[in-house]
Each structure stands twice: as structure tokens, then as C-alpha cells.
């Protein structure tokens, strides 16, 4: 797992088509908070190999648009956080593959969301969120809407189910909460079995005990983080999204090896990318 304490730069994918100031603001603020560099990236796909159509004008136009988008974004990032070290790169290659490749040396990859439909996520050339989230070596942050303004104490939500991937998410969430000096809500979602020999109250208590035991070690390492435990009943996606309605972000582990092209995005991650209004942070098991 990539620790938030490591001084690795934050990489943010700049979309030449859409204003991505929400993602850029999140990335710039996070770079300032951590004291690390910010790397702005646009990747331009290669020219089509065809004998009948000259693709050079389109390719040059894409490069020009990418260069202009980087120039504008870089100025905007410096205006928001003047003291961060921010640089930009125009890369040659398919965007998703280029960003995933850079993730091995990054502390975070930050992306904006176009809120594409599920088919478009896999068929659109502009889709980055699912393939980068699936293949990145570091945590990926997807910023769709603005951070909510609320009277509540700022908090993060982390989904916990006892799996290796959720333990990685829990460790990362504790470090991030400590860094942000905010509260952390550890949420387990319980779906009662249809048939069981044990009473519902007994099973629910066991789930609460497991959640408490899972978080205990990390709570001791981060005594300044105000931790709460919640076991809720319902659909994992809907329950986590509701718990994080006014959160700074929701943090989940990445798992699942089926689906399209072997992409390792589980159903909960995939659902939250569509449902959650706050940033979604997906942590891989490394």
C-alpha cells in the first residue's frame, strides 16, 4: 500500500474537453497539505494507422488542445496554491494506459468524472475512471462534485468488511484522517442471512465486535483521530453512499478480478463511482 506519509507526487489527469477544476482543486489542496509536488498530465492517443485518411490534422489539433489545457490548468493550480511545486506533461499514448503507468511512482492519481453511463465507461475513448482505478498501483481519487459544506465536523468514511482490500483502505483512511485532522467513520454493511441457526441480535453483535477489533490497532497508532464505528443494514453501495453524503471522501479497497478485460474493480467500487456525491478514493492491495 502507498502510505500517505511517503513523499510521492500527486498526478492529476487533465481533461481537455471538460472543465476539471473540481479534481484539480482537490489535487492542489492535497499536494499543499502533504507538501509534495503536483504533476498535471494530458495524454494524446496515437494517430490512426490508415491508408485512406490522413489523421495528422486531428492528431495535431488534439496536441494543441492538450497543450492549451495544461497551460490553463497549471496557471489555475498555482493561483489556488502558490507554494506548491506544479509541473505539466503532454504524453503520447492512450490516456488510461499512460496514467496507469505513471501510478507506480505516484502517491495518488486524481481524476475528474464525466459521469458516463456504464456502457460508455468501457466503449468511450474518453473514459479514464474505470480502467485507471482498476490498474493503478497507488490510490485513485475520483472527484465528481464539489466538497459539501456542512455544519457537521469534517469526516471521512471508510468501508470495512474484514477483507485484505478493506484493511488496506482502513490503513490509508486513518493516515488521511490524521493528516486532515478530521474524524473517521468506519462503516460495515451487514446483510442478514436468509437462513441461519443463530439469532439476528447475536450475528449483529458479532459484526460490531469484528469491526471494533479490525480498527483497534490503527486507532492506537493514530490516537488523534476521532473514530466512530457503524454497522448498518442494507446494500453496501447505497449504505456507504448515504453514510458519506456530507463526507470529505469515502475510502474503499479495490478487489474483484472478473468483468471487462480482467479489470479489478469490485461491484461496490463501481457502484460508488456512480452513486457517491463526495470524492471516491480506491486503495489497491500492493
Amino acid at each position: 500500500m502507498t502510505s500517505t506519509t511517503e513523499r510521492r507526487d500527486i498526478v492529476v489527469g487533465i481533461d481537455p474537453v471538460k472543465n476539471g477544476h473540481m479534481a484539480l482543486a482537490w489535487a492542489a489542496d492535497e499536494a499543499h497539505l502533504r507538501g509534495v509536488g503536483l504533476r498535471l498530465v494530458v495524454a494524446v492517443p496515437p494517430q490512426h494507422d490508415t491508408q485512406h485518411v490522413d489523421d495528422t490534422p486531428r492528431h495535431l489539433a488534439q496536441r494543441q488542445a492538450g497543450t492549451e489545457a495544461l497551460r490553463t490548468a497549471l496557471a489555475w493550480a498555482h493561483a489556488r496554491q502558490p507554494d506548491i511545486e506544479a509541473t505539466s506533461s503532454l504524453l503520447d499514448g492512450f490516456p488510461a494506459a499512460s496514467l496507469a503507468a505513471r501510478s507506480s511512482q505516484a502517491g495518488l492519481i486524481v481524476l475528474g468524472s464525466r459521469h458516463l453511463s456504464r456502457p460508455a465507461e468501457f466503449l468511450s475513448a474518453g473514459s479514464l475512471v474505470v480502467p485507471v482505478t482498476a490498474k493503478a498501483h497507488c490510490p485513485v481519487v475520483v472527484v465528481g462534485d464539489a466538497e459539501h459544506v456542512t455544519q457537521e465536523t469534517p469526516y471521512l468514511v471508510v468501508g470495512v468488511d474484514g477483507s485484505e482490500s478493506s484493511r488496506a483502505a482502513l490503513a490509508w483512511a486513518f493516515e488521511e484522517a490524521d493528516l486532515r485532522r478530521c474524524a473517521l467513520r468506519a462503516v460495515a454493511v451487514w446483510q442478514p442471512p436468509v437462513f441461519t441457526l443463530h439469532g439476528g441480535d447475536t450475528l449483529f453483535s458479532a459484526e460490531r465486535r469484528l469491526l471494533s477489533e479490525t480498527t483497534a490497532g490503527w486507532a492506537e497508532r493514530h490516537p488523534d483521530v476521532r473514530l466512530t464505528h457503524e454497522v448498518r443494514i442494507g446494500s453496501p453501495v447505497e449504505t456507504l453512499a448515504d453514510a458519506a453524503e456530507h463526507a470529505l471522501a469515502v475510502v474503499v479497497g479495490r478487489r474483484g478480478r472478473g468483468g471487462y478485460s480482467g479489470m479489478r474493480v469490485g461491484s461496490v467500487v463501481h457502484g460508488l463511482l456512480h452513486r457517491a456525491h463526495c470524492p471516491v478514493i480506491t486503495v489497491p492491495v500492493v
Side-chain angles (χ1 to χ4, degrees):
M1 185 192 74
T2 302
S3 169
T4 59
T5 60
E6 294 181 15
R7 294 183 57 82
R8 291 189 171 190
D9 291 343
I10 294 173
V11 174
V12 55
I14 302 300
D15 188 346
V17 177
K18 178 185 175 184
N19 180 326
H21 283 174
M22 292 301 179
L24 183 56
W26 200 99
D29 292 348
E30 191 76 2
H32 172 73
L33 186 64
R34 297 183 184 203
V36 299
L38 180 66
R39 305 290 179 246
L40 282 58
V41 173
V42 169
V44 179
Q47 291 180 250
H48 293 308
D49 185 12
T50 174
Q51 297 179 347
H52 305 289
V53 178
D54 183 4
D55 192 46
T56 301
R58 183 194 66 86
H59 184 70
L60 291 177
Q62 286 183 324
R63 290 187 62 85
Q64 183 176 357
T67 299
E68 179 61 23
L70 285 172
R71 184 191 66 78
T72 302
L74 191 61
W76 197 91
H78 276 137
R80 184 176 180 89
Q81 294 291 353
D83 62 335
I84 63 173
E85 178 191 343
T87 59
S88 64
S89 300
L90 185 70
L91 307 178
D92 290 313
F94 292 104
S98 298
L99 280 167
R102 293 179 77 89
S103 69
S104 60
Q105 300 300 320
L108 280 175
I109 297 285
V110 181
L111 302 172
S113 174
R114 291 189 188 176
H115 297 293
L116 298 174
S117 66
R118 287 178 184 255
E121 284 179 344
F122 298 101
L123 301 177
S124 169
S127 173
L128 285 177
V129 169
V130 170
V132 175
T133 299
K135 297 178 180 179
H137 300 282
C138 67
V140 176
V141 185
V142 178
V143 182
D145 301 324
E147 289 185 344
H148 293 274
V149 177
T150 175
Q151 297 299 315
E152 295 186 62
T153 301
Y155 68 97
L156 295 170
V157 168
V158 58
V160 181
D161 64 6
S163 66
E164 184 181 6
S165 61
S166 79
R167 287 194 291 272
L170 183 64
W172 198 94
F174 261 106
E175 293 176 352
E176 184 72 1
D178 211 344
L179 190 66
R180 287 174 172 263
R181 300 183 183 279
C182 69
L184 179 61
R185 295 182 181 178
V187 178
V189 182
W190 184 58
Q191 295 177 297
V194 177
F195 301 104
T196 178
L197 298 177
H198 302 283
D201 291 343
T202 300
L203 293 175
F204 192 80
S205 297
E207 191 75 22
R208 288 183 60 86
R209 185 170 60 254
L210 176 62
L211 178 59
S212 179
E213 292 172 352
T214 302
T215 59
W218 290 106
E220 292 175 0
R221 298 184 198 183
H222 300 275
D224 293 333
V225 174
R226 186 168 66 84
L227 173 70
T228 58
H229 306 88
E230 301 177 33
V231 178
R232 298 190 177 191
I233 299 175
S235 158
V237 171
E238 293 298 322
T239 301
L240 286 172
D242 288 343
E245 183 176 1
H246 298 291
L248 298 176
V250 56
V251 186
V252 286
R254 185 186 73 193
R255 63 176 178 178
R257 296 182 178 275
Y260 300 85
S261 303
M263 287 186 176
R264 297 173 294 173
V265 175
S267 59
V268 173
V269 173
H270 204 177
L272 283 173
L273 290 173
H274 286 271
R275 172 69 175 78
H277 294 292
C278 68
V280 178
I281 304 174
T282 307
V283 182
V285 178
V286 179

